């Protein structure tokens, strides 16, 4: 749902204004958690191009299959121009759980 100043409006691809900028007026948590097409990331900041044939899309090896990348848990200072990649640190078990088990 898109949210404007007065009321929530359901997203519609047939609306040219919405289709031109599908990520405008979305929940701010989307931009904090997900790298979407044309969002900025890395050092120096540059737009991530995830459309078909874009700089960060297929046929690049290990490129996104969905057109989105995970921003959460990534190092924002990655230099994408040097083809640096991030490393995910997934929390599998918390230390207090060790005591509980």
């Amino acid at each position: 749902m898109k949210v404007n100043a007065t009321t929530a409006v359901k997203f519609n691809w047939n609306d040219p204004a919405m289709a031109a900028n599908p990520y405008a007026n979305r929940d701010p948590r989307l931009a904090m958690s997900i790298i979407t097409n044309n969002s900025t990331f890395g050092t120096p900041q540059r737009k991530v191009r995830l459309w078909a044939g874009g700089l960060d899309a297929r046929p690049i090896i290990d490129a996104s299959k969905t057109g989105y990348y995970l921003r959460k848990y990534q190092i924002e200072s990655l230099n994408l121009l040097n083809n640096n990649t991030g490393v995910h640190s997934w929390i599998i078990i918390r230390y207090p759980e060790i005591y509980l088990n």
Side-chain angles (χ1 to χ4, degrees):
M1 300 273 288
K2 288 185 84 156
V3 179
N4 65 25
T6 58
T7 181
V9 178
K10 189 172 181 175
F11 184 81
N12 182 1
W13 280 107
N14 295 324
D15 181 349
M18 288 184 187
N21 196 358
Y23 303 113
N25 300 321
R26 296 293 181 152
D27 188 324
R29 293 175 290 183
L30 174 67
M32 289 185 260
S33 302
I34 304 294
I35 298 172
T36 58
N37 192 32
N38 284 326
S39 63
T40 56
F41 186 79
T43 302
Q45 291 281 313
R46 75 165 178 87
K47 290 193 178 220
V48 179
R49 301 174 195 151
L50 297 171
W51 61 83
L55 186 62
D56 304 300
R58 298 270 172 169
I60 296 172
I61 298 172
D62 295 329
S64 173
K65 294 178 183 175
T66 62
Y68 298 99
Y69 285 108
L70 182 66
R71 179 184 297 270
K72 195 173 185 179
Y73 304 120
Q74 289 295 323
I75 301 168
E76 290 278 339
S77 62
L78 283 175
N79 189 338
L80 299 176
L81 299 176
N82 290 338
N83 293 326
N84 291 356
T85 58
V87 176
H88 292 290
S89 297
W90 301 108
I91 299 170
I92 297 172
I93 188 168
R94 295 180 10 207
Y95 194 64
E97 190 171 346
I98 293 171
Y99 285 117
L100 292 172
N101 289 338

